Amino acid sequence: SFSSTMTMPSSSTTTTVAAIAAGCSLLAYGASRLSKSPPQEPSLTDIDDEIDTDDCISPDDVVAIFDKLFIAMQQVVMQLSQQVQQIQMAGQVIPEKQLRQLLKGEFERALTQCQAQVFEDNDVDADCLEEATWEFMESPDVYPKVKRAVERFQKLYDSISGEETVGWTPKKGSSSTDREDGASDGAKKDLSPDELIKAATLYFDAITEKMVELAKSWKAQGKDLTNPTVAKQYHIEASTDANEAGEEKMMKEMGIKMSDFRSAVDKHSRLPAVGQTLGMLQIKQQQELMAAGVPMM
């Protein structure tokens, strides 16, 4: 369920995935903007001299690697979300700052293990993969699949960290951060509990509708969603389309950005009325998806 990511407490800390282990800078999506020294741009001439063309990383390689990481880490996010919900249902209260640190630490620990295996399975060097990824991301119109795969993972990372990393590259910096800070799209919106419930209802309904629509489309094309491989690919694609639909719905109907929504969930989810409503929305979503034959993760 893609709804599980929205229940995650957000974080404004500047701890990055890159600090965990060598090679993680690729997955931090902007770790270098938090460091004192700017990233060193590799010389294309040097790369041509040092790398055999047969060893070059293709756009398809980048997409495949990020898709594998996304699937694996989405499961981690879901597990963490369930653990948090169980703790809260048991009446235990973990201080918000401590909870954020725990969640982010668990995500980073799992990512360190996961990416090492994925890099090994795909026979890639972390530094070379990073260089290739940023090069492709500088031309999103030429490599739209790379952009889609990278930003999909960025959003998953953002759901844990609370940071706004989508759109960042070493060369251009983060236009998204500027927008989220209110530079062009207005100041941050503080939602009341009632506004949050209304926004959550819009968000869940839009996600469910898009996922059912996509499932019907795939079935009409003769794709077997009971096939584990097909189901996995479905969830990769649906995660982008459905969450975009949810975000667009909130923006269109209420003028709410995803960062505002996450902050409101973080602030109000402990209120019984809000917590119960969010829980019921998730159950309703799962029932509707199952009834429509949408494969569960």
Side-chain angles (χ1 to χ4, degrees):
S1 163
F2 302 104
S3 59
S4 61
T5 59
M6 52 76 68
T7 63
M8 284 297 179
S10 59
S11 169
S12 59
T13 65
T14 56
T15 304
T16 68
V17 181
I20 301 304
C24 284
S25 56
L26 168 66
L27 302 177
Y29 301 108
S32 56
R33 72 183 162 126
L34 303 174
S35 64
K36 294 180 180 178
S37 58
Q40 296 297 315
E41 293 299 330
S43 164
L44 291 179
T45 303
D46 292 341
I47 291 176
D48 289 339
D49 290 342
E50 296 174 8
I51 301 178
D52 190 298
T53 54
D54 291 337
D55 295 331
C56 288
I57 297 172
S58 71
D60 287 344
D61 292 333
V62 174
V63 171
I65 290 168
F66 275 93
D67 282 353
K68 287 181 180 179
L69 290 170
F70 174 81
I71 285 291
M73 295 309 297
Q74 187 183 49
Q75 290 290 340
V76 171
V77 169
M78 291 171 65
Q79 291 166 5
L80 289 174
S81 177
Q82 290 168 0
Q83 290 171 9
V84 170
Q85 289 174 351
Q86 289 171 358
I87 290 171
Q88 291 176 341
M89 288 173 65
Q92 299 180 39
V93 178
I94 302 176
E96 196 61 45
K97 186 175 181 180
Q98 181 183 354
L99 180 60
R100 290 171 179 171
Q101 291 174 342
L102 288 171
L103 287 171
K104 200 169 181 184
E106 284 299 305
F107 184 91
E108 293 169 352
R109 181 188 61 76
L111 177 59
T112 301
Q113 297 176 343
C114 174
Q115 70 172 10
Q117 186 62 51
V118 171
F119 290 174
E120 182 179 341
D121 291 345
N122 287 269
D123 192 25
V124 297
D125 173 79
D127 292 335
C128 292
L129 177 61
E130 181 174 0
E131 290 176 3
T133 298
W134 292 135
E135 183 177 340
F136 297 142
M137 287 292 285
E138 290 297 334
S139 304
D141 294 337
V142 181
Y143 307 108
K145 290 183 179 180
V146 172
K147 179 177 184 290
R148 186 177 174 87
V150 170
E151 291 189 350
R152 177 163 43 229
F153 195 99
Q154 286 178 322
K155 288 185 177 182
L156 185 66
Y157 175 72
D158 289 353
S159 75
I160 285 285
S161 69
E163 297 168 9
E164 298 294 334
T165 59
V166 176
W168 186 94
T169 68
K171 286 187 178 179
K172 69 181 181 181
S174 175
S175 57
S176 294
T177 299
D178 292 339
R179 288 195 300 272
E180 296 299 337
D181 288 343
S184 60
D185 287 345
K188 181 178 176 60
K189 189 167 185 176
D190 192 14
L191 306 181
S192 68
D194 287 342
E195 287 174 326
L196 170 59
I197 289 174
K198 181 179 179 181
T201 302
L202 290 171
Y203 182 69
F204 275 96
D205 287 349
I207 284 179
T208 303
E209 181 180 346
K210 177 59 70 172
M211 289 184 69
V212 171
E213 176 188 315
L214 187 60
K216 288 180 178 178
S217 173
W218 278 48
K219 289 179 182 178
Q221 296 171 35
K223 297 180 179 179
D224 181 10
L225 293 181
T226 63
N227 181 308
T229 302
V230 175
K232 185 178 292 185
Q233 193 59 40
Y234 163 83
H235 277 285
I236 290 174
E237 293 303 317
S239 68
T240 297
D241 293 344
N243 279 303
E244 285 179 354
E247 291 176 28
E248 288 171 5
K249 189 73 171 178
M250 288 194 299
M251 176 57 73
K252 181 180 179 181
E253 299 287 336
M254 299 181 67
I256 295 171
K257 295 178 293 186
M258 194 62 195
S259 57
D260 296 332
F261 183 56
R262 279 202 299 261
S263 295
V265 170
D266 184 28
K267 181 177 180 181
H268 300 307
S269 61
R270 285 182 175 80
L271 296 175
V274 174
Q276 290 170 8
T277 300
L278 293 177
M280 287 190 295
L281 285 171
Q282 290 186 49
I283 293 172
K284 174 174 175 281
Q285 180 191 57
Q286 290 172 355
Q287 291 174 338
E288 291 179 357
L289 293 177
M290 288 178 66
V294 174
M296 294 295 103
M297 286 294 289

